[in-house]
Each structure stands twice: as C-alpha cells, then as structure tokens.
Amino acid sequence: MISFRGFGKTYGKQQAVRNLDLNVRAGEVVALLGPNGSGKTTSLKAAAGLVKPTTGVVLVGNPGQPSSEPDARRCLSFLPQRVAFQDSLSGQEVLNFHRQIRGVDAAHAAAALGVASLNGAVARAVSTYSGGMLQRLGLAVALLPDAPVFLLDEPTAALDPDGLEAFYKVIAKSRADGRAVLFTSHQMGDAERLADRFAILVDGVLVADIAGREMKDRLAERGNMRLRVPSLDASTLAGLRVMAPDAVFTDGELVVRGPAGMRPRVIELILARGHQIVDLVAEDGRLDDLYREMVGPQREPR
Amino acid sequence: MNLRLFAAEELKIALRSRWTQIFAVVFAILASGVAAAGYVISGGHGVQDFARTSASLVHLVVLIVPLVSLMLGVLSLSLERGAAEVVFALPVSRRTILLGRLLGLFAALALAQSFGFGLAGLLVYSQSGPEGIGDFVIVLGASFVATAVFLALAAFLSADAFGRRRTRALALALVAWVVGEVFIDLAALGLATLLPSGAASRVLILASLLNPIGALRTGALLLVEGTGAFGAASLALLRFTHGPAGATTLIACSLLAWTLVPAFWAGRRLERTDI
Ligand SMILES: Nc1ncnc2c1ncn2[C@@H]1O[C@H](COP(=O)(O)OP(=O)(O)OP(=O)(O)O)[C@@H](O)[C@H]1O
Ligand SMILES: [Mg+2]
C-alpha cells in the first residue's frame, strides 16, 4: 500500500534521505523512528506527494501509483508534523470543507469529529486553538475520508492522555480495517503500543527494519532480573556467569541480564547452593535502550 | 467541482480578512472623495459628473488596486507550512487549487471595489444624474482587470513561498509595484530625452505597453477621456497604432498576456516546488 523504492531526497547539498526501501502492507502499522533530522518527515511528505523524490519513487494505493498524481492521493490521509489551518475558519468549517472535497457524508464527518472530541471548540476560530486542539482537529480531518493509507507525522506529540488513548484506539481499528499506517514518533511508548514493525532511520539511512515479534524477542533477550541476595559465594557467581556472562553482584543485589527463559535456572542454582532470595524483580528490555543501541552514539542533529 | 470549492472557501476567508475589509472601506472613502472633490472645489456650483469623476478615478485605481492585489494576493496565497501540507496532500492538482484560490480572491477584491465604486456612484448620481455613467463602469472594469493582472503576479511570486519565504515574496511584490508605478516611466522618460526622436518614441511606446500599470492607465484613459488629455508616451502610442482602436487592442493584448503568463508560470512553479 505504501512503497518506497530507492527513495532519496537531497535539499541543495543536504542529503535528507538515501536509497530508502520500505513497504507497508494493508493492515500493517509501521513506526518510523529516528533522531531529529534523520529524514522521517521528508519520507512521509514524499509519500503524501508533497516532496519530489530526487531518486527512486514512492508508490501508494493498490495498485501502487506515484503519490505525485492527484488521483493517487485519493487513497491517503496525511497528518503533518505541525498541522495548521486557515486561521479565520472554525474547526467545523475546516471539517466541512474537507468533507466536501473528499465527498464524505455528514454522518461520517460527525464520527470523525467525535474521535477528536473537540466538543464546544469546533465552533471557535482555529486561531484560538491550543497545540493539542489543532492536532486533534488535524486527526479528525485525516480520519474523514476513510482512506486506506494513513501517513501520520508525530501524531501524538501534543496529545493529552485522553487524546492519546483515543488515538491508540483509532489506530487499532485502522489495523483491523486493513489500513496501511506509517507513523513517526519520538515516544517509544507509542511505537511499542502500536507498531507491527519498526523502521529506524539514522542520517537518512534505514538502519533497521524489524518486525514486532522479532523486536519482542530482542527486548526479552535484553531483559534484566534483579535479586536481593544477602550473601553469595564466588563459586556460585562463577556458576551463574556460565549462563549469564555479565551477571554482577554488589551490595547484596544480583543483576542478571539475559532472556526470560534463563531466569528459573538462575533461581534454582542460587537456592541449590543454599543461598537465600529475599526479593526479585524481572523486567523486559526497554525499547529506548534498544533504540539507542541501534541508532548509535548520540549526535547533534544535522 | 473542486475548483468551485476552493474558490468559495477562499472568497469566504478573504471576506473575513481585516485587510480586505480595510481595503473596501478605504477604497470607498477615497473614491467618494474623488467624486466629491470637483464638486467642493468648484464651490458647490459646478457638478462633478460621472465623466469627470471617472477620469480622476482612473488614477486612483491605477495607483491602489495593483498594490492591494499584490499584497493581499501574496499574503493569502503563501500559506503557513503546516496548512500548505494539509491542502496540497489532498487529491486535487496544485494548479486547480491555485486557480480556485485565485478566483476566490478575485471575487473578494472585486466585491470590495464594487462597494467603493457603488458608494461613489451614488454620490455622483445624487448630484448630477446618470450622464456619463458608462465611463464610470469602464473604470470599474479597468479596476477588475488590474486586480486580475496583479493577482496573477502575486501568484507567481508566492508559488514557492511557504513559511519564512513569505516575507521575501511580500518584499518582491512591493518592489514590483514601485518599479511598475514610477521607475519604468521615469526611466523611459529619462532615456527618451537622450535618444533621437524616433527611438525615443519607441521607448515611450514600449514603456506604456509592456508595463502593465502604464498599459492600464493608458487604456483606461483612452476609453474614458479619448485622446484629449494624453501625454507624450500615449500620443506616441497612438501615432504608432494609427488611432485609438489599434492602441486599445494592443493594450488589451498586453494586459491579457500579463494575466495569463504569470498565472501559467505560477502553476508550473507551484507544481515543481517541494512543500
Ligand atoms: N525544506 C528543506 N530544505 C532544506 N533542508 C531540509 C528541508 N526539510 C528538511 N531538510 C533537512 O533534511 C533533513 C531531514 O529532515 P526531516 O524533517 O525529514 O527530519 P525528521 O526525521 O522529521 O526530524 P524530526 O524528528 O526533528 O522531525 C534535515 O537535515 C533537515 O535539515
Ligand atoms: Mg519530522
């Protein structure tokens, strides 16, 4: 449904995206992650037909057509990173206009507006909206046409917890309805909660394209178990390090890194050697950490 | 269909804009002032009829309408980046969007001018009756033509002006106005004094034909006043075209070109811009 083929974009001398190959199928939600200035917005804008590729093509819909064709854009909805509307219009007027352009009936528009739950504010001029209200209106506009392709650039950046919850539901329903969703976010929570697949851009290069299941495995492997153990002799620690090489014991706390499946054996070994376990916490690896590992050392945005 | 939607939306937005409203009021005051001026100057005895009001209004129109069309055009057409991203991601071609918005802006400005002309017209009518009202309508027409020409130019200037580049487009519009309003005429006159008379009159002809503001002024005065009050440049043009009919035709062609060519290039430029 969304298909980047060798997509590259150069602004002047600045190469924003290089040779990107990425597909988003129907019913699939893909999170496009990466540091500031890594080319996420550029890629999304190219998919929305706003930016002309310097190399390659971006196809949308089924069968895929270049998104620079107005007709091809019938199948897509785009929510820009900093969405804006004509200041003097009210939220309702903005929706009405888009409803007419998209040929959507009024009942459907009301449903889209319900998701945004702007309530009384729809009658007010857009110029009086807060950042989050604008984003909600933008979301309502994007939801209007029931388009099979969603391109959402940091859709949650300004949402409050209620807005966030409503948004998560919308995406879950979109997936169930067979839409192709490509979104960007700096909130790893969004990505973990929503994405079936994670694509990571660094300096315009796709450095990882990982399925959700694989991501889960990788996170599980990076899990931690912390045990409160009053005493631990050296030979037991050595025994543990056969299973988990970087197990450490300091101040009565034993930290064992490794997959979840290893944990019962760790516990068994400690107990079998006659040590006591006072307390125990186990956690999966964090996406933030994995993300940092994949992105590499922090650098200034270009 | 989409064209109509974009035109109607733009008309609505433009009519709500403070700038359009201020223009309508200021234009009405100035036009009424022009209409009343002759009446007041002649001590309330002589009556400023439509014919004489029209001749004075030409100068007002040629001065103000290009400026307002350029400024309002650039301000409206160069969208905030986030708004442009929403609009141009719609399944409508950029040319259709541009044309629709231009039509809406044109309608708004034409309404504002009609309001000003209407008030001035009522004033004149109440003082001196309907005689010469045809001239008055011609000047209103010239005002519409000026609007079309300079909105097209505004569209060209703002075709790649999103976000920060708006200021640049606005500055360019101002420069274009000053150049058309004074610079070209001055330069042509200066050049003409240095050249032998044949070449000098060709320079003057070109200046009043190729400069849309000069063409508007010459064309409107020709239709309203005839050849009586012509300056050197216009007389040279008349000699060149063997009479008013030829001159009017050439001027009409020049103004048509000044509308269509910038509008076409604006569409082309917009199609090729990254948003
Ligand atoms: N219109 C433009 N002109 C010139 N350079 C641009 C333009 N838009 C983006 N860039 C450059 O392209 C690169 C990628 O920008 P992009 O907006 O795609 O990043 P991003 O991943 O969306 O970042 P963020 O997380 O901050 O939103 C950046 O280096 C940016 O400076
Ligand atoms: Mg971005």
Side-chain angles (χ1 to χ4, degrees), chain A residues 9 45 52 73 80 88 93, chain B residues 16 85 90 271 274-275:
Chain A
K9 179 68 195 179
K45 285 211 268 190
K52 298 244 173 333
R73 294 199 293 270
S88 63
E93 285 173 322
Chain B
R16 278 184 197 175
E85 287 167 355
L90 289 171
E271 292 276 356
D274 286 330
I275 290 163

Side-chain angles (χ1 to χ4, degrees), chain B residues 129-248:
Chain B
E131 201 178 326
I133 199 164
D135 288 349
F136 193 72
V137 173
I138 287 174
V139 182
L140 180 61
S143 186
F144 290 174
V145 172
T147 309
V149 168
F150 287 93
L151 276 181
L153 202 58
F156 178 73
L157 291 175
S158 45
D160 64 353
F162 302 103
R164 264 174 299 148
R165 298 179 92 171
R166 289 174 92 169
T167 331
R168 199 190 62 162
L170 215 53
L172 283 177
L174 208 58
V175 168
W177 179 73
V178 172
V179 166
E181 208 66 61
V182 284
F183 190 77
I184 290 183
D185 283 353
L186 279 184
L189 278 176
L191 198 59
T193 57
L194 301 175
L195 294 171
S197 72
S201 68
R202 270 197 295 281
V203 166
L204 292 175
I205 291 166
L206 281 181
S208 62
L209 254 187
L210 294 188
N211 172 15
I213 290 179
L216 265 168
R217 187 185 293 123
T218 312
L221 286 177
L222 194 62
L223 291 175
V224 170
E225 285 207 307
T227 54
F230 264 26
S234 312
L235 287 176
L237 176 65
L238 279 182
R239 271 199 305 279
F240 173 70
T241 59
H242 305 295
T248 316

Side-chain angles (χ1 to χ4, degrees), chain A residues 9-11 41 45 48-53 70-76 78 80-90 93-94 97-98 100-102 141, chain B residues 1-2 4-7 9-10 12-14 16-17 76 79-94 97 101 270-275:
Chain A
K9 179 68 195 179
T10 308
Y11 293 109
T41 296
K45 285 211 268 190
L50 296 172
V51 158
K52 298 244 173 333
D71 271 339
R73 294 199 293 270
R74 254 174 235 296
C75 74
L76 68 83
F78 172 56
Q81 183 165 0
R82 264 170 307 180
V83 64
F85 299 98
Q86 296 267 12
D87 270 353
S88 63
L89 297 176
S90 72
E93 285 173 322
V94 167
F97 174 68
H98 283 264
Q100 286 171 293
I101 291 278
R102 292 296 203 140
V141 167
Chain B
M1 178 63 187
N2 285 333
R4 224 188 56 216
L5 283 172
F6 272 98
E9 190 77 352
E10 197 63 34
K12 181 160 78 179
I13 293 165
R16 278 184 197 175
S17 147
S76 315
L79 289 170
E80 218 178 310
R81 194 170 285 276
E85 287 167 355
V86 172
V87 166
F88 290 114
L90 289 171
V92 183
S93 79
R94 294 186 187 180
I97 294 173
R101 299 188 68 208
L270 184 62
E271 292 276 356
R272 294 177 174 194
T273 310
D274 286 330
I275 290 163

Side-chain angles (χ1 to χ4, degrees), chain A residues 29-33 181-184 191 195-200:
Chain A
V29 179
V30 174
L32 190 57
L33 309 175
V181 182
L182 181 62
F183 76 98
T184 73
D196 303 316
R197 206 142 56 80
F198 302 80
I200 300 182

